[in-house]
Amino acid sequence: LSRLIVSLVLTNADFAPIVTVKVVKLSLAHGMTPMSAIGFVYFGSMLASIGEIEEGYRFVKLAMNMVKRFGCKEVSGEVIFVATQTIIY
């Protein structure tokens, strides 16, 4: 599901929030994985885009910390890119 988010953002943005929330819920219910960071960074970005900037920033920061903790190079580029875009805008 985490890899599906970026495709949805580019092709059918209406479904991206649904999948993003699902990834976050699954991570909270069943435990964190390196791929959870993608869900959290997109969720944080989504919150910031609707004006919940502080809350969004917390989720983006969580995702960045997860990348450092898990050392997962597969998702680090995407997480850093989305985090940077969220913070800049």
Side-chain angles (χ1 to χ4, degrees), residues 8-52:
L8 287 173
V9 168
L10 297 173
T11 59
N12 193 345
D14 293 338
F15 289 116
I18 297 167
V19 175
T20 300
V21 170
K22 185 69 170 176
V23 170
V24 171
K25 284 183 176 181
L26 286 170
S27 295
L28 294 173
H30 299 287
M32 302 299 157
T33 70
M35 298 304 280
S36 300
I38 293 175
F40 286 117
V41 78
Y42 277 103
F43 188 69
S45 178
M46 188 173 68
L47 288 174
S49 72
I50 61 169
E52 297 292 329

Side-chain angles (χ1 to χ4, degrees), residues 38-84:
I38 293 175
F40 286 117
V41 78
Y42 277 103
F43 188 69
S45 178
M46 188 173 68
L47 288 174
S49 72
I50 61 169
E52 297 292 329
I53 296 170
E54 290 181 22
E55 193 68 24
Y57 177 72
R58 283 190 211 120
F59 278 95
V60 169
K61 192 172 177 181
L62 171 65
M64 293 292 292
N65 288 334
M66 289 176 72
V67 166
K68 288 178 189 174
R69 179 179 175 199
F70 287 118
C72 188
K73 295 176 183 172
E74 295 86 12
V75 300
S76 63
E78 186 172 351
V79 170
I80 292 167
F81 174 76
V82 175
T84 303

